Amino acid sequence: LISKSDCFTCHKLNESSIGPAYAAVADKYKTMDKQAAMDSIVHQIRNGGSGKWGSVAMQAHPLITKEEGDTMAMYIMSVKSEK
């Protein structure tokens, strides 16, 4: 789902680009309740927003379903840092 969308235009696995690396997102949310973290990521994917990672706004992806967002969030949460 991620590779078929425009996600890799702004995000990479282990390095910052326009947006944060997926590993950094996973690290940030790993201390939260898993369901709360997943819900927050899905909300960001579907609704966009700004302020959590800096001033660059993330575009909304309203055509991504909740179920697709859940799958994408599970993948993002599974990315490990290469450190």
Side-chain angles (χ1 to χ4, degrees), residues 39-55:
D39 290 345
S40 181
I41 293 170
V42 172
H43 179 81
Q44 286 291 119
I45 291 169
R46 298 187 73 220
N47 299 298
S50 65
K52 288 186 177 185
W53 296 94
S55 61

Side-chain angles (χ1 to χ4, degrees), residues 7-41:
C7 299
F8 284 122
T9 302
C10 297
H11 300 279
K12 297 181 187 237
L13 292 179
N14 284 291
E15 60 186 79
S16 293
S17 182
I18 295 168
Y22 288 139
V25 174
D27 284 344
K28 180 175 183 169
Y29 286 100
K30 72 181 176 185
T31 60
M32 289 178 68
D33 170 77
K34 184 177 180 178
Q35 190 60 54
M38 297 282 291
D39 290 345
S40 181
I41 293 170

